[in-house]
Amino acid sequence: MPIHIAVGMQWGDEGKGRVVDLLSADAAIVCRYNGGDNAGHTVTVGKKTFKLHLIPSGIIHSHTIGILGGGMVINPLTLLDEMNALKLSGIELSPRRLYISPLAHLITPAHRLLDQAEDEARGKGAIGTTGRGIGPTYIDKAARRGLRAGEILEPESFRVKVKQHFKLVDRQLQSLFHKEPLDVESMTAEWVAAASKLAPYIQDATTLLHDAVRSGDTVLAEGAQGTLLDLDYGTYPFVTSSNTTATGIFSGLALGIMPVDRIIGITKAFQTRVGAGPFPTELSGELAARLRGTGANPWDEYGTTTGRPRRVGWLDMVLLRYAVMINGVNELCITKLDILSGLPEIHICTSYKLDGRECEILPMGLLPEQMNAARPVYETLPGWKENITAVRAWKDLPKSAQDYIRQLEMLSGVHVSMISVGPERDQVIRLD
Ligand code: IMP
């Protein structure tokens, strides 16, 4: 079956956007199945840089159809902005090319206010959410009072439900977080008017998807965030509120349980995290600043969505082995190998010392305080001096860079099919 899944192996920001862009060259349909505009995917093509938060990155290729699946939470305001920006950059975005599942839940400005107020109230225990309203929207979905995209098509009842929603959140904001009252009437009118603009795009794509799979067309599902932010299997509670792992596609796209050809795990050549939570291989000081970059380039380690500096560290094989296992990954893409150029030596965390035991794979359900107490065990490899951003073939990589990749394959048990050495579409080394 021609289903391909691209999934992040870390805490998001692995460079999925640029990898998905490359993989989409062979795909007929590109889909998002989870999360919302907490995601930020960057694709650079020639002089143009596209920033995507909701629309699948594969839409940049003119032959693809893009689907925003039912497992997603969608903020109509950011989606409309994103659509306008893409249209201005010359990307065609008619309802023929873009499908929004009627099952996707809608994020309102009230969800965002609630998200921010809740995280602020957590004080020292804050998750450091993106403040995009992701958690409160999934809460409403689970509480069966959410607003679904399909409801936009019934304007009268939609308006009534939206007003009820704003009133409820207004009461919560005032009573629990002592916030100023919302102007429910005008918020309802403005938000309903904006959300209604999406009506032509709200169309069920399930049959389209199944027909494509049956006829052998490639369907590429693009995971948002990363495995370690999965609501169930991530570093709970410092996670997002959706299933970011590969299994999320079956429920998030109504695909049924189907064989999947390729499950492509995407990992940076080092580790990053934005927001709070355990990070055993975290670095500080000069080395961290060197890996993070100054922020002058769009590919430096600053959040695409929030602009926050990312925490950085050495590649952690305990986490990578876990991510490979729970996603069923059968190939790896390594991004940002070029950033390691010039380091005299490179460390890889091969195991943790945990409670006097040596552990090579993350134990399921480890508490944050237990993970904070884990002591990483490192293997040290020689670095390389050469700038590798112009390398396009394996044989042209410095020997130490080849050894780093081979060691990574050996330690993860998965072969590497692609290495990216820069943000441009062609800055890639294919190994297959
Ligand atoms: P939320 O998804 O906004 O609720 O944030 C929950 C956690 O996930 C926070 O630590 C965020 O920084 C992190 N997070 C959410 N989306 C992304 C992403 O796309 N990349 C990296 N981290 C993310």
Side-chain angles (χ1 to χ4, degrees):
M1 289 284 176
I3 301 175
H4 301 173
I5 308 175
V7 62
M9 300 278 88
Q10 299 172 311
W11 284 291
D13 309 318
E14 297 90 351
K16 291 183 294 296
R18 59 110 61 246
V19 174
V20 166
D21 170 60
L22 290 173
L23 297 171
S24 309
D26 304 321
I29 301 186
V30 291
C31 325
R32 276 272 308 264
Y33 57 88
N34 76 293
D37 62 332
N38 47 349
H41 297 154
T42 308
V43 181
T44 305
V45 186
K47 289 201 162 49
K48 284 188 184 164
T49 294
F50 301 91
K51 288 201 186 286
L52 301 116
H53 297 279
L54 286 158
I55 299 177
S57 308
I59 205 79
I60 312 287
H61 290 269
S62 58
H63 68 275
T64 56
I65 288 179
I67 297 177
L68 275 64
M72 289 185 70
V73 287
I74 296 173
N75 182 332
L77 305 180
T78 41
L79 179 55
L80 288 164
D81 282 349
E82 191 170 319
M83 287 166 70
N84 283 337
L86 287 175
K87 282 179 187 168
L88 285 174
S89 301
I91 307 291
E92 189 224 316
L93 276 185
S94 64
R96 184 195 66 80
R97 277 204 81 200
L98 188 66
Y99 287 68
I100 301 171
S101 168
L103 306 188
H105 278 249
L106 299 175
I107 301 180
T108 72
H111 284 129
R112 288 176 65 129
L113 291 172
L114 201 51
D115 186 11
Q116 290 155 19
E118 278 179 341
D119 214 31
E120 204 179 283
R122 287 187 187 109
K124 282 204 171 108
I127 292 167
T129 73
T130 58
R132 297 294 190 268
I134 308 298
T137 307
Y138 279 117
I139 288 174
D140 278 358
K141 172 177 175 174
R144 289 152 295 174
R145 57 170 184 249
L147 300 161
R148 301 213 286 190
E151 294 178 87
I152 292 177
L153 304 178
E154 295 293 334
E156 287 313 311
S157 57
F158 183 55
R159 188 182 306 278
V160 172
K161 282 187 185 165
V162 172
K163 192 166 165 181
Q164 278 170 356
H165 156 76
F166 280 132
K167 276 187 177 166
L168 175 67
V169 180
D170 187 30
R171 282 201 298 277
Q172 290 172 324
L173 285 168
Q174 288 188 60
S175 60
L176 299 176
F177 304 106
H178 315 294
K179 299 285 178 192
E180 294 295 312
L182 301 178
D183 183 347
V184 170
E185 286 299 336
S186 72
M187 279 179 91
T188 304
E190 274 172 37
W191 189 77
V192 167
S196 305
K197 293 185 190 153
L198 293 178
Y201 297 88
I202 298 165
Q203 19 181 12
D204 182 22
T206 314
T207 314
L208 184 88
L209 256 179
H210 283 258
D211 285 350
V213 171
R214 220 171 294 123
S215 64
D217 286 342
T218 297
V219 170
L220 175 66
E222 170 183 348
Q225 292 81 48
T227 298
L228 304 172
L229 288 174
D230 184 280
L231 179 60
D232 295 303
Y233 300 110
T235 49
Y236 192 89
F238 299 99
V239 293
T240 189
S241 301
S242 69
N243 286 117
T244 59
T245 38
T247 45
I249 92 157
F250 297 112
S251 56
L253 291 171
L255 262 180
I257 304 294
M258 291 217 190
V260 175
D261 260 4
R262 297 173 71 186
I263 306 180
I264 305 139
I266 302 163
T267 177
K268 274 182 196 161
F270 49 101
Q271 206 82 20
T272 66
R273 171 164 212 168
V274 62
F279 188 164
T281 62
E282 184 166 14
L283 290 166
S284 58
E286 250 177 57
L287 193 49
R290 155 76 178 71
L291 288 174
R292 186 179 298 118
T294 57
N297 300 309
W299 55 91
D300 285 346
E301 297 298 345
Y302 292 79
T304 315
T305 302
T306 58
R308 290 180 288 180
R310 295 182 189 137
R311 300 158 65 195
V312 294
W314 294 119
L315 187 63
D316 186 333
M317 295 309 303
V318 178
L319 300 178
L320 187 59
R321 285 191 198 101
Y322 172 81
V324 162
M325 178 175 77
I326 66 166
N327 286 289
V329 162
N330 52 20
E331 64 185 276
L332 281 172
C333 274
I334 313 297
T335 58
K336 293 198 148 188
L337 187 66
D338 53 301
I339 301 297
L340 299 183
S341 290
L343 295 178
E345 51 188 30
I346 298 170
H347 301 276
I348 307 181
C349 165
T350 52
S351 63
Y352 295 160
K353 284 249 161 59
L354 198 64
D355 270 345
R357 286 175 299 129
E358 184 126 349
C359 92
E360 293 192 340
I361 194 157
L362 186 72
M364 206 46 103
L366 204 63
L367 299 173
E369 48 275 26
Q370 293 172 313
M371 202 165 161
N372 283 334
R375 293 288 153 255
V377 176
Y378 290 107
E379 185 175 308
T380 304
L381 278 81
W384 59 93
K385 288 200 181 76
E386 298 88 332
N387 179 332
I388 59 171
T389 54
V391 173
R392 300 291 176 269
W394 171 257
K395 66 175 176 44
D396 297 329
L397 271 180
K399 165 91 173 45
S400 301
Q402 292 183 348
D403 289 346
Y404 183 65
I405 298 293
R406 289 297 179 226
Q407 190 60 2
L408 208 152
E409 285 183 318
M410 208 271 288
L411 291 168
S412 67
V414 183
H415 82 106
V416 170
S417 60
M418 204 191 279
I419 302 166
S420 88
V421 290
E424 298 280 344
R425 207 178 236 175
D426 72 330
Q427 286 183 295
V428 71
I429 300 167
R430 292 180 195 263
L431 283 85
D432 283 341

